[in-house]
């Protein structure tokens, strides 16, 4: 093989992945044109999330609501976590938490306090959950002296994408008798992080920062792209990744007669048995689909 061709292939391969993934890079006349698409390109692409099909209540033969945990320490779940630092990376690469919190700030996305979506909140209501403010000793001296506290003596700690430990999702498995198959519909998602008031302590408690009604966030999550490690020229959206269940999750709660109690409430202090119980619940759902075809 010609050494010139070898060098060319190697140079292309070593290009930054973030650059290769950006739209319109081959047609850009200047760097500011990278990532911008013309109106005609958008029209041809028809780039929008696939609409959910209408499901009549009478067509649902059986259903089960589940709550699951997505551990961001697992390699398969890394696309939901990274990048945590946005200083040295393109604007088209953001973590899921960054996308959610940005649109919550702008008012484009509603948030709720729990997974039953009964209590709606706005970004200002989340301040106690996302930020802690403390005053240093020198600041208290100013207060005791009747002076206004200087800004340099006030410390603020914010929850960022780097502090997100896991995501919790709520979804429903149902058997559509019209289609004759078992299907899944994602209903809600919540980022989980250490309690901001005890974040620097050892083993702080994990708290759900907020819940988002997933169908309301689909348009936003479709616009945000996830890095595709197999082919950087074809990034996928967060909406596609979540709806296709391209992640690993563990069941921690199901709807039940005991007030939707979680697994740890009746299997305490035994992580192995909790995992086995989660697996049992999953197998029960799979067996249900097989039982539908048993005569």
């Amino acid at each position: 093989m010609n050494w010139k061709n070898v060098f060319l292939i190697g140079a292309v391969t070593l290009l930054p992945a973030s650059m290769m993934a950006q739209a319109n890079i081959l047609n850009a006349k200047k760097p500011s044109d990278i990532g911008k698409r013309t109106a005609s390109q958008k029209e041809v692409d028809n780039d929008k999330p696939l609409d959910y099909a209408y499901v009549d209540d009478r067509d649902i033969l059986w259903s089960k609501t589940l709550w699951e945990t997505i551990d961001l320490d697992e390699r398969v779940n890394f696309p939901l976590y990274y990048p945590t630092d946005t200083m040295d990376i393109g604007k088209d690469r953001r973590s899921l938490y960054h996308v959610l919190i940005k649109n919550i700030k702008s008012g484009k996305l509603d948030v709720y306090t729990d997974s039953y979506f009964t209590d709606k909140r706005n970004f200002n209501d989340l301040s106690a959950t996302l930020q802690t403010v403390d005053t240093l000793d020198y600041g208290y001296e100013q207060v005791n002296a009747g002076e206004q506290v200087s800004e340099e003596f006030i410390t603020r700690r914010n929850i960022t994408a780097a502090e997100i430990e896991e995501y919790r999702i709520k979804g429903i498995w149902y058997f559509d008798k019209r289609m004759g198959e078992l299907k899944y519909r994602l209903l809600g998602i919540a980022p989980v992080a250490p309690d901001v008031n005890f974040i620097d302590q050892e083993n702080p408690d994990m708290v759900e920062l907020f819940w988002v009604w997933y169908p309301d966030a689909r348009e936003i999550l479709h616009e945000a792209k996830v890095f595709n490690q197999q082919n950087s020229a074809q990034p996928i959206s967060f909406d596609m990744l979540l709806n296709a269940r391209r992640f690993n999750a563990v069941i921690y709660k199901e709807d039940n007669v005991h007030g939707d109690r979680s697994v740890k409430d009746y299997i305490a202090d035994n992580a192995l048995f909790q995992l086995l119980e989660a697996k049992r619940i999953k197998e029960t759902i799979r067996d249900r689909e097989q039982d539908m075809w048993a005569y």
Side-chain angles (χ1 to χ4, degrees):
M1 180 182 291
N2 193 325
W3 284 104
K4 183 177 180 180
N5 293 336
V6 173
F7 177 79
L8 181 61
I9 294 173
V12 172
T13 304
L14 294 175
L15 282 174
S18 59
M19 178 178 291
M20 294 292 290
Q22 296 181 21
N24 202 41
I25 187 171
L26 299 180
N27 301 314
K29 303 299 183 183
K30 49 187 178 181
S32 59
D33 293 336
I34 298 175
K36 295 181 180 178
R37 294 185 301 155
T38 63
S40 59
Q41 286 176 320
K42 294 180 181 179
E43 183 177 355
V44 172
D45 290 345
N46 191 23
D47 191 19
K48 62 179 183 179
L50 184 65
D51 293 334
Y52 288 146
Y54 175 76
V55 181
D56 195 284
D57 290 341
R58 294 173 296 180
D59 295 333
I60 302 177
L61 190 61
W62 172 88
S63 69
K64 170 67 71 174
T65 303
L66 297 179
W67 288 259
E68 300 172 89
T69 297
I70 303 175
D71 188 351
L72 297 181
D73 283 336
E74 297 185 36
R75 184 176 298 274
V76 69
N77 298 329
F78 280 179
L80 297 171
Y81 179 70
Y82 291 103
T84 58
D85 187 359
T86 60
M87 296 298 294
D88 300 323
I89 201 165
K91 295 181 179 180
D92 59 324
R93 294 277 307 281
R94 291 295 183 267
S95 68
L96 176 58
Y97 177 75
H98 186 277
V99 174
L100 293 175
I101 205 68
K102 176 183 177 181
N103 286 277
I104 292 170
K105 285 182 179 180
S106 63
K108 297 180 180 179
L109 197 58
D110 295 328
V111 293
Y112 300 83
T113 57
D114 56 35
S115 60
Y116 296 97
F117 307 103
T118 55
D119 188 9
K120 184 186 293 187
R121 297 293 181 91
N122 56 38
F123 181 75
N124 293 330
D125 297 329
L126 300 176
S127 58
T129 306
L130 303 179
Q131 184 186 74
T132 181
V133 180
D134 196 9
T135 304
L136 300 178
D137 292 339
Y138 290 109
Y140 285 115
E141 292 180 2
Q142 289 182 318
V143 172
N144 295 332
E147 302 174 359
Q148 184 177 0
V149 180
S150 302
E151 187 66 26
E152 61 183 318
F153 299 137
I154 299 176
T155 60
R156 291 180 172 86
R157 181 69 181 273
N158 296 302
I159 295 292
T160 65
E163 277 77 49
I164 304 302
E165 298 281 345
E166 61 188 44
Y167 284 96
R168 292 177 185 170
I169 59 174
K170 178 184 179 181
I172 180 171
W173 286 96
Y174 65 96
F175 190 87
D176 190 333
K177 67 179 182 181
R178 185 179 296 274
M179 301 298 295
E181 62 180 331
L182 186 69
K183 294 184 177 181
Y184 178 77
R185 182 70 61 86
L186 183 59
L187 299 179
I189 186 168
V192 178
D195 189 331
V196 69
N197 297 300
F198 309 99
I199 193 170
D200 294 322
Q201 298 182 7
E202 186 176 358
N203 299 322
D205 293 334
M206 295 291 123
V207 296
E208 298 170 352
L209 302 181
F210 51 81
W211 277 89
V212 172
W213 178 249
Y214 185 78
D216 184 41
R218 290 196 66 207
E219 290 282 351
I220 293 170
L221 296 182
H222 180 75
E223 294 295 329
K225 304 303 180 182
V226 181
F227 178 70
N228 187 349
Q229 300 185 60
Q230 304 300 325
N231 184 0
S232 58
Q234 296 293 331
I236 62 175
S237 67
F238 280 112
D239 179 62
M240 183 185 300
L241 182 146
L242 291 168
N243 273 308
R245 292 187 63 88
R246 295 174 60 171
F247 53 81
N248 185 52
V250 177
I251 299 170
Y252 72 90
K253 187 166 68 169
E254 64 171 336
D255 57 343
N256 52 58
V257 70
H258 304 285
D260 297 346
R261 67 177 181 180
S262 61
V263 172
K264 67 179 181 179
D265 290 337
Y266 60 92
I267 302 179
D269 302 326
N270 195 321
L272 176 59
F273 281 14
Q274 290 172 3
L275 288 174
L276 292 175
E277 175 65 8
K279 184 177 180 180
R280 185 197 65 80
I281 297 172
K282 182 186 296 185
E283 293 300 326
T284 301
I285 296 173
R286 291 177 177 176
D287 292 342
R288 175 71 65 170
E289 181 181 24
Q290 298 298 324
D291 294 342
M292 291 295 180
W293 296 102
Y295 296 93

